[in-house]
Amino acid sequence: MNTHANKCIACTVVSCANHCDDADYCSLDRIQVGTHECNPTVDQCTDCMSFRKK
C-alpha cells in the first residue's frame, strides 16, 4: 500500500503502482516526463515515464 503522498506531484492515475492510495498524488520523490512524439505540440504528446502498472 502506497501511503506516502508527494504533494508536489498531483496524479489521478490509480492504475499506476506509484499512485498514493490515500489521495490523488504520486508516491515517488520525483518523476520522469517524456514524449512519444518527435515534435510534441499538445499535452497528449507527453508521458509519465515513471508509470508502472499496478
Side-chain angles (χ1 to χ4, degrees):
M1 178 179 223
N2 274 331
T3 57
H4 168 75
N6 182 341
K7 298 213 173 161
C8 292
I9 307 173
C11 179
T12 58
V13 183
V14 297
S15 61
C16 181
N18 299 315
H19 184 268
C20 180
D21 294 325
D22 297 337
D24 283 340
Y25 294 102
C26 184
S27 64
L28 296 175
D29 291 330
R30 66 185 182 108
I31 62 168
Q32 179 69 39
V33 176
T35 183
H36 56 272
E37 301 286 334
C38 295
N39 185 22
T41 57
V42 293
D43 59 345
Q44 291 89 347
C45 296
T46 60
D47 304 296
C48 179
M49 306 306 282
S50 302
F51 173 83
R52 286 190 351 211
K53 185 168 173 31
K54 199 180 259 187

